[in-house]
Amino acid sequence: LSAGNRLVAGGIAGMVAALLVYPLEVIKTMLTIYPEECKATPGGAIGCVIKAGGVRGLYAGVVPTLIAMFPYVGVEFMVYETLKRRWELWAGAPAGTLTIILLGAVGGACAQASAHPLDVIRRRLQLGNMARVSADGTQKPKPPYSNMVSGLYTVGKTEGLHVLFRGLGPACFEKVPSTAIGYYIYELMKRLLRVASV
């Protein structure tokens, strides 16, 4: 596959996977941010989300997530496979374990940096519905944006573009090692199953 085809294949795969598990992400976020209001249980979190935003609340922020998944998984897969192929052409031998881990880490870092601004807006949209209802049940004012595009614009203009990258370092510390290990397992499974690279 070409680099562009790898980007599209990885991006679509990431979007489908994200759509299927998205309500679990919302529930996890609510349990993390509002444990008391959600009674610290998944069922309580579902109840909080539905009370604050209806069933649609389970998918609050899904559009930025889907849009972020495309570059995230697409860039990760494209960078890894392209660098691995170039490394193997340069070295004249298959990539070894350390090389696979390092290339997976580079792919993960590139992916995280490309999608981080959308992740910031996604989390703010997820929390927007919950933040509108105070502990006593009264309504608070609406957040200043309701979708990804207006969120990116508003945050960039009012808070500064650097805010869209706030937390990138810790996010990389979480994602880069798991991506590196994931690509090592990916390559190991390809060898065990005797499947060629794409």
Side-chain angles (χ1 to χ4, degrees), residues 12-91:
I12 291 172
M15 289 172 76
V16 170
L19 184 63
L20 293 175
V21 300
Y22 192 76
L24 298 174
E25 176 70 21
V26 172
I27 291 165
K28 179 189 88 166
T29 300
M30 291 302 163
L31 286 171
T32 302
I33 305 298
Y34 301 107
E36 292 83 24
E37 291 90 338
C38 296
K39 300 179 180 87
T41 67
I46 292 170
C48 282
V49 171
I50 291 174
K51 180 180 175 187
V55 175
R56 287 180 52 170
L58 291 170
Y59 286 91
V62 73
V63 172
T65 297
L66 294 178
I67 293 170
M69 271 302 125
F70 189 88
Y72 184 86
V73 179
V75 166
E76 177 187 289
F77 187 65
M78 178 189 70
V79 167
Y80 172 76
E81 282 290 341
T82 301
L83 290 178
K84 184 180 130 231
R85 180 159 300 177
R86 290 181 189 252
W87 172 267
E88 290 175 342
L89 287 173
W90 178 79

